Amino acid sequence: MAAADKIIGLDDLVQRVEELKGAGRVVVQSHGVFDLIHPGIIHHLNEAKGIGDVLVVTVLRDADVRRGPGRPVFPDKLRAENVASLEMVDYVAIVPEDIPFECVKLINPSFFAKGQDHKQRDKQIHDKIFETERHLYFGRTQIFETRGVSFSSTQYINNNWDAYPDETKQFLRRMAAKHSFEEILGAVNALAGTRALIIGDGIIDEYHYCSAMGRAGKSNLVVNKFLSHERFAGGVFAIANHVASICDHVRLVTVLGQDDPEEEFVATSLKANIQADFFHRADGPTIIKKRYVDINSNQKVFEVNYLNERDIETECEDRVIALLESVLPDYDVVLVSDFGHGFISARIIRVLEERARLLCVNTQTNAANTGFNMVTKYRTPDFVCLDEPEARLAMQNRFGDIRDVLLSLSRAVPAQKLVITLGKKGSVGMSQGGAARFTPIFSSRVVDTIGAGDAVFSYAAICFAQGLPLELILFIGNVVGALAVQIVCNKKSVERHELLQFISVILQQQDATPRQLP
């Protein structure tokens, strides 16, 4: 069979495997990134083919590769073509992986062939991350461990490709010397017991993909052709989903529009361990932000907001406050996602400050509230996370040293810890009375920055609530940011296993001895 004919869609592969097994054939599956076809992979695939009749290989799509910076080296189509060119391989499919090894359970082969690279990663991370959950991923498929040459693509790429500048590598060496992966793993796993209440503005993000057709004949504007659209649960919905990735119990408090509240879409977009309390305002819609995106450049060219940015009516506010006063004692930490869209009123803020055990705040500046949604309206937050423009605007310091901005902020808002995200410059944080601490970025590929700050706040706030030191809060937050910018808008949340895999890789790099390519 020609290599090109071996590559089929996932649905077709599922059907083909079912037919082959029904005909009495033994089907073996191998799964991975397959960035490099090295001797270890050849040995592994040959041995896998030897235990069955048909060998199928699933190649992880680009968007779901979480092997650290600069990965994948080659796009999924080329990786699939490389695998399909191998004689022992019968079928290849490019697959998503929102859940680890989800495709194995879906395809249901006779055997799943796990190579030496998988075994090595098992010892480092997979056994520890998934030790109680393996049956969820592999179903009834038998696992066969091949004996091939141990050779890690990730290790080879780490050794020979420089994904980070020297300053970042020096930072990671210091981090690896001070904090082992096992220590960080234990800290992240301990977050699960945190009971978190999330309150804020819920937003439905819509991306409408277009292509430019040309200049209008009678107006000075560019005419675009509509191609497709996607909808995402953003704002506080996205934050709740991020937090639910690391905490077992999450409660969400938010407001929807009374007319056409979109409640079914929102409810089905939330994770199962989120208990949602939806309030409804009669004087405004469920917030929708429509962004028009050029399909070729992936740039946003226009945005339309559907919202009422005035404070919610008193009756709705009273009902929210009654709920908060009733349930706040049950929660370890409250995360406030304040987009300045009318939900978080002054009365609600006072109740949160008086009743929350720990109060973590993120106030956002956007086109609907510029200059009117400052973090300084919070008098006693315990943890604050802002981006640089928001912090500068709040302190009215447009061009000064960011350390001066941070110091002024710590005086104006006496939180225990403050974090300012700096985009390409990483982040800076400060404990009350301490010195500024900088952490570099760990992202090497940016798909979309929308929602990345929300992801950082979500993880950083829970880490703060569990008492992690500032350096680990900043480190974990920046790793989450590196993962979040690879996701289109709020299409999915950053998962615990993705965070741990990424950390494992970048800390492992510091133990590697660099080699020159021949």
Side-chain angles (χ1 to χ4, degrees), residues 127-201:
D127 275 340
K128 298 172 184 176
I129 299 175
F130 306 126
E131 59 187 353
T132 62
E133 304 167 348
R134 285 188 173 274
H135 68 283
L136 298 178
Y137 309 120
F138 296 104
R140 297 181 179 179
T141 297
Q142 296 184 60
I143 299 174
F144 174 78
E145 294 186 353
T146 58
R147 301 184 302 275
V149 178
S150 178
F151 193 111
S152 166
S153 300
T154 295
Q155 190 68 57
Y156 186 83
I157 290 170
N158 287 346
N159 288 354
N160 294 285
W161 272 268
D162 278 336
Y164 290 141
D166 288 341
E167 181 181 355
T168 302
K169 289 188 285 188
Q170 290 171 8
F171 172 90
L172 289 171
R173 279 194 287 271
R174 293 194 299 269
M175 182 62 66
K178 190 171 182 180
H179 300 284
S180 69
F181 172 73
E182 286 70 23
E183 176 193 348
I184 297 174
L185 171 68
V188 171
N189 285 343
L191 302 178
T194 306
R195 292 175 61 84
L197 185 146
I198 323 293
I199 182 171
D201 302 287

Side-chain angles (χ1 to χ4, degrees), residues 31-33 58-66 71-72 74-77 79 93-98 445 491-492:
H31 172 71
V33 179
T58 44
V59 175
L60 198 57
R61 70 179 180 183
D62 293 342
D64 290 331
V65 174
R66 302 287 187 264
R71 302 293 302 276
F74 302 106
D76 46 28
K77 184 177 179 181
R79 290 185 281 119
I94 299 170
V95 299
E97 191 173 70
D98 292 335
R445 179 169 63 101
K491 193 168 189 174
K492 64 180 292 295

Side-chain angles (χ1 to χ4, degrees), residues 310-321:
R310 292 182 177 273
D311 284 352
I312 55 175
E313 59 269 34
T314 303
E315 181 184 353
C316 181
E317 183 184 48
D318 289 341
R319 286 187 281 114
V320 173
I321 289 173

Side-chain angles (χ1 to χ4, degrees), residues 67 117-126 501:
R67 298 290 188 269
D117 192 21
H118 280 298
K119 288 175 71 176
Q120 181 184 45
R121 285 192 284 122
D122 273 345
K123 294 175 183 177
Q124 297 170 347
I125 183 168
H126 275 71
Q501 285 177 333

Side-chain angles (χ1 to χ4, degrees), residues 207-212 224 227 292-302 446-449 488:
Y207 275 23
H208 295 257
Y209 298 100
C210 312
S211 63
N224 284 267
L227 300 175
Y292 294 81
V293 184
D294 181 82
I295 195 70
N296 298 308
S297 65
N298 201 35
Q299 295 295 310
K300 294 138 186 105
V301 297
F302 193 68
V446 177
V447 174
D448 193 354
T449 58
V488 174

